[in-house]
Amino acid sequence: MEPLPLEGIRVIEFSHMVMGPSCGMILADLGAEVIKIEPRGPGDKTRYLPGSGSGLFPAFNRNKHSVQLDIAEAADRDRVLDLIDSADVLLENFRVGKMESIGFGYEELSARNPGLIYCSLKGFLSGPYGNRAALDEVVQMLGGLAYMTGPPGQPLRAGASVNDIMGGMFGVIGIQSALRVRETTGRGKLINSALFENNAFLVGTHMAQAQISGEPPRPMPTRQATWAVYDIFRDAEDNQVFVAAVSDGQWRDLCDEFGLTGLAADPDMFTNQGRVDQRDRIHRELQAALSQLSLAEIEEKCTRRGLPVAPVNTPGDLTSDPHLVASGALAHTGLPGGTSVDVPLLPLTFDGSRLGLRGDVPEPGRHNSHYRDGPTVPTGPPND
């Protein structure tokens, strides 16, 4: 079997919540040996979050090795430093100044291990906001994403931790780039990735739109239409379904498939702008046609003609989604205590193959005996 892309790379992960763990998990999925440092006792507090936080630890901690070490204790501190000395990468996402205050900043650790790539994942990059506390929701409000997501006057955070996860992804991009540079220079680098700047990157198209038009962009629920058909409709049983037609050819196919002969023959509808100008009329007639059909019939008709279509699913629906299941996109991941969850693998294939599950989410300290309790730091991962 071919080695995984990052096989042989050792990563020390000091992290909690989402941004750091997602960065570490991507590296682990790519084959790196990721050693997650957790406090003694119950371990990372993220393991025990209730409600909408209960999925965070299961989703972002597979394929890792858990070691419990208290860096306030001299013996544990020495072992952590030994692990760092043996590592290629360190990543952390604690509050600003935390790692430096305990002697684990980049300058101190780089002096010990000049080849170390140190990835610091924070709320903000350097600047006036640099020392502020941040959460995904904070930067969505500050960075205009919540404004664009909710209806006017009702800012709404996106329904996933998009900045945390993408911030972790940019951390991986930086780490991989630094590994490439190290091949030539022999030296590591300090990599910084941040939530706010990631959010600004996400809304860059809206920033450009505001400058081009000279007007504030409208929130997405009331945005100026680009196409006449790019919306949610309802089937005969009142199920919601998204249908779109974004080209002249798709418009003709839509009219043909759903019997909209009057619209198809109207010369005012021959151009995209003409259709946008009569969007309300088109919606009325299309909705009347869709109201006679089941969701399955609408999907079949649209798919047959290459028209974009999608039922409005919940995240829970995805565990039985026929495409995800058949394509092997879900990892049936064991959790401490004997339960399991199905969570997505990385949305990548290498020569048609997924980067799969090699290790379930470990219980706290699962790998203490390998990394912590021996007389020396091992040179490779445990066998399990």
Side-chain angles (χ1 to χ4, degrees):
M1 186 171 64
E2 289 189 8
L4 292 168
L6 294 184
E7 195 166 312
I9 299 297
R10 174 171 281 186
V11 179
I12 309 299
E13 177 186 315
F14 292 91
S15 76
H16 61 161
M17 301 296 282
V18 177
M19 195 181 188
S22 65
C23 181
M25 189 197 71
I26 295 170
L27 295 170
D29 282 8
L30 289 166
E33 174 193 5
V34 177
I35 304 169
K36 181 177 178 66
I37 307 297
E38 299 193 57
R40 289 182 182 264
D44 185 344
K45 292 179 180 178
T46 312
R47 290 177 177 272
Y48 311 105
L49 291 176
S52 60
S54 63
L56 300 186
F57 203 89
F60 300 116
N61 286 283
R62 63 172 175 256
N63 291 337
K64 298 180 184 179
H65 310 293
S66 172
V67 181
Q68 291 181 291
L69 290 161
D70 186 348
I71 54 180
E73 299 293 331
D76 280 4
R77 182 182 177 87
D78 287 345
R79 176 47 64 101
V80 171
L81 289 171
D82 288 342
L83 284 168
I84 293 170
D85 289 346
S86 74
D88 301 283
V89 178
L90 180 146
L91 64 90
E92 63 89 15
N93 74 323
F94 294 119
R95 61 176 171 79
V96 175
K98 171 68 174 178
M99 295 293 280
E100 290 77 8
S101 71
I102 59 176
F104 281 73
Y106 173 68
E107 296 300 330
E108 296 93 335
L109 298 183
S110 179
R112 297 176 59 99
N113 180 356
L116 183 68
I117 295 161
Y118 191 110
C119 181
S120 185
L121 304 155
K122 302 298 185 190
F124 303 90
L125 297 180
S126 296
Y129 300 162
N131 291 324
R132 284 193 188 185
L135 299 167
D136 205 311
E137 200 146 342
V138 168
V139 301
Q140 288 194 37
M141 299 293 172
L142 184 63
L145 183 58
Y147 167 86
M148 291 301 302
T149 303
Q154 299 178 51
L156 182 68
R157 67 154 285 165
S161 298
V162 290
N163 293 298
D164 276 312
I165 296 168
M166 279 193 64
M169 291 169 60
F170 277 112
V172 172
I173 293 169
I175 289 166
Q176 291 180 311
S177 301
L179 286 168
R180 181 70 179 88
V181 171
R182 195 182 67 173
E183 292 176 5
T184 302
T185 66
R187 296 196 62 85
K189 285 188 178 295
L190 173 62
I191 305 296
N192 293 286
S193 178
L195 297 174
F196 181 57
E197 284 76 6
N198 180 83
N199 188 98
F201 188 82
L202 284 172
V203 301
T205 57
H206 302 307
M207 293 170 64
Q209 174 193 346
Q211 295 166 75
I212 292 167
S213 68
E215 299 176 354
R218 296 182 188 175
M220 294 299 280
T222 60
R223 66 191 181 278
Q224 184 176 0
T226 303
W227 302 285
V229 180
Y230 196 86
D231 297 274
I232 294 172
F233 299 88
R234 293 183 180 272
D235 71 356
E237 297 180 351
D238 210 36
N239 296 305
Q240 292 181 308
V241 58
F242 174 85
V243 177
V246 297
S247 69
D248 292 341
Q250 286 187 354
W251 166 250
R252 290 190 294 269
D253 287 341
L254 179 82
C255 291
D256 182 56
E257 194 65 41
F258 293 102
L260 306 177
T261 54
L263 295 178
D266 188 336
D268 290 340
M269 305 283 188
F270 288 175
T271 66
N272 182 66
Q273 185 60 56
R275 294 190 291 271
V276 170
D277 291 342
Q278 298 198 53
R279 184 167 174 266
D280 290 345
R281 176 190 167 194
I282 292 170
H283 274 221
R284 285 195 302 271
E285 296 195 29
L286 177 56
Q287 180 58 73
L290 297 180
S291 294
Q292 306 303 310
L293 301 170
S294 69
L295 181 59
E297 289 172 325
I298 295 170
E299 285 192 90
E300 192 277 329
K301 283 176 170 288
C302 288
T303 301
R304 183 170 65 232
R305 302 300 288 265
L307 296 168
V309 63
V312 179
N313 288 327
T314 71
D317 295 328
L318 299 186
T319 57
S320 58
D321 179 86
H323 177 82
L324 295 178
V325 172
S327 63
L330 303 178
H332 189 67
T333 308
L335 306 180
T339 59
S340 61
V341 293
D342 292 316
V343 288
L345 294 168
L346 296 188
L348 295 169
T349 60
F350 285 74
D351 292 331
S353 297
R354 297 270 180 180
L355 296 167
L357 180 69
R358 304 190 314 281
D360 292 327
V361 174
E363 63 268 24
R366 169 69 181 82
H367 303 97
N368 286 346
S369 62
H370 183 77
Y371 291 108
R372 187 189 73 185
D373 299 335
T376 59
V377 169
T379 58
N383 292 325
D384 66 329

